[in-house]
Amino acid sequence: MRRDVYDQLVQVLCVPTCAWPHFKLVAKRFKVPVDSVISIYMQEAQLHVKRTHHLLKAAASKYAGRYQNGAQLLDLCAEADMFPCMFLRRLLEQVPWTCNKNAVTKIMRDPTVVRDLVRLNGINSEIAQKMLQDLQGDVQQCIECDQVYSPQADAKRLQLGIQYEQKLNKMLADAGIAFWTEEHLRDKGFFKTPDAKLQVPIAVKGRIVNWIDSKATFGDTKSHLEYNQEQFSKYVNRYGPGMVIYWFGFMDDLQGVDADLVLVESFPSVEDTTQLPQLPIPHDIIS
């Protein structure tokens, strides 16, 4: 994707956290795949949280007081311009709930455990029960409204990554390319492992590839540099040059930045791939 198109796309997708872009219309306008648009939105949403999270933490106790006094939780989320589940995590850390991280995670996964995990000490029993009942309903509402930080959204991202890793493995097998999976390499004692380590290198458009990593995301500059520092550079040091598949596209100007990385948006075609010929094994060696 050209950088000017990407910049315009990001501007369109920069909506308040209480809103949800019409991804199909945006994709149609910019003539890009819907999955690419969704991936870019998710990246920008996470970047927004990183930039503003400190503001939420600083104001969390005030928001907690207003919530106790009857303010609607989703209205407070909109005011803070924060995704509901992330807002709720910070809220539950405050007095009078004072939940630890593990308790908050359990509550987010199953709101029905609110009454078991939250203790409202010093509050009239009848009032406390009403507060917990309201809290349980608000937790459920936050989970249903949040398509970025809810447990369901996390599970979808995890499943998407697994789905595309499986797709890569199948395409390698169909192409007759022998490889070790990430699990195979870890069983052999390797620590930093790509999704597929080729048993015999191939060439893609004339460039040597020893390993392949699958990324079910869009490759923008920031995420690619982070991946490169934390993962790709280590793969190159251990196994040599490799290839990264950004299934939802990547910035055009990232191609060629690193001579040891080939960036593609899909599995390379037969025409773009060169494999070593399979030589016949002499009969006397077999016997």
Side-chain angles (χ1 to χ4, degrees):
M1 183 183 292
R2 296 199 323 267
R3 182 162 294 279
D4 62 319
V5 174
Y6 173 81
D7 290 341
Q8 293 175 44
L9 189 56
V10 167
Q11 287 184 346
V12 171
L13 293 175
C14 282
V15 297
T17 56
C18 59
W20 189 244
H22 197 307
F23 295 121
K24 289 185 178 179
L25 288 181
V26 175
K28 184 177 180 180
R29 173 183 169 184
F30 287 92
K31 298 179 181 179
V32 296
V34 174
D35 286 338
S36 299
V37 176
I38 295 174
S39 181
I40 292 171
Y41 170 78
M42 291 295 184
Q43 290 171 337
E44 289 301 308
Q46 291 166 8
L47 185 59
H48 169 78
V49 170
K50 290 180 180 178
R51 288 171 175 166
T52 61
H53 189 249
H54 68 285
L55 300 176
L56 174 61
K57 290 188 72 173
S61 61
K62 293 181 180 179
Y63 284 124
R66 291 173 59 188
Y67 176 62
Q68 279 187 270
N69 291 330
Q72 294 297 308
L73 187 55
L74 290 181
D75 289 342
L76 294 175
C77 295
E79 181 181 324
D81 196 19
M82 183 58 65
F83 295 98
C85 286
M86 185 60 66
F87 183 94
L88 188 60
R89 284 182 177 277
R90 300 290 80 83
L91 186 76
L92 289 175
E93 294 171 353
Q94 307 304 311
V95 176
W97 308 282
T98 321
C99 296
N100 59 39
K101 185 176 180 180
N102 290 334
V104 172
T105 298
K106 290 178 180 178
I107 290 171
M108 300 296 289
R109 291 175 178 171
D110 181 9
T112 63
V113 302
V114 163
R115 300 189 186 199
D116 298 326
L117 297 180
V118 179
R119 296 287 181 268
L120 299 178
N121 298 323
I123 297 179
N124 176 275
S125 176
E126 186 176 340
I127 295 175
Q129 288 302 313
K130 179 63 167 60
M131 289 177 62
L132 292 176
Q133 181 180 350
D134 292 343
L135 178 61
Q136 179 178 329
D138 287 338
V139 170
Q140 185 64 48
Q141 193 174 39
C142 283
I143 292 171
E144 292 172 355
C145 291
D146 195 333
Q147 301 187 63
V148 179
Y149 280 97
S150 68
Q152 290 83 351
D154 291 338
K156 283 182 180 179
R157 278 192 290 272
L158 178 61
Q159 185 58 41
L160 191 66
I162 293 172
Q163 174 186 334
Y164 276 91
E165 286 178 22
Q166 293 173 342
K167 179 177 181 178
L168 169 61
N169 292 345
K170 184 179 185 304
M171 299 184 85
L172 283 168
D174 290 345
I177 300 174
F179 65 100
W180 291 290
T181 65
E182 187 174 11
E183 290 74 19
H184 291 149
L185 292 172
R186 287 181 177 173
D187 288 343
K188 292 175 179 290
F190 291 93
F191 178 60
K192 289 290 183 179
T193 57
D195 292 318
K197 168 67 174 70
L198 308 186
Q199 295 183 17
V200 178
I202 63 173
V204 175
K205 295 185 178 180
R207 298 175 64 182
I208 298 298
V209 170
N210 294 280
W211 54 268
I212 303 175
D213 209 49
S214 168
K215 294 298 180 189
T217 185
F218 180 86
D220 68 340
T221 301
K222 184 178 184 299
S223 61
H224 178 72
L225 292 177
E226 289 177 353
Y227 282 137
N228 195 26
Q229 181 178 2
E230 297 171 6
Q231 300 177 8
F232 305 152
S233 62
K234 294 178 174 59
Y235 303 158
V236 170
N237 289 338
R238 286 172 171 80
Y239 312 116
M243 180 172 74
V244 179
I245 304 180
Y246 282 114
W247 295 102
F248 303 148
F250 60 91
M251 303 291 296
D252 290 346
D253 53 14
L254 292 176
Q255 187 70 275
V257 170
D258 192 322
D260 292 319
L261 289 180
V262 179
L263 304 183
V264 295
E265 298 179 356
S266 60
F267 193 82
S269 64
V270 175
E271 293 76 18
D272 291 335
T273 306
T274 303
Q275 299 186 50
L276 290 174
Q278 296 184 4
L279 301 177
I281 302 175
H283 180 73
D284 57 342
I285 293 180
I286 299 177
S287 57

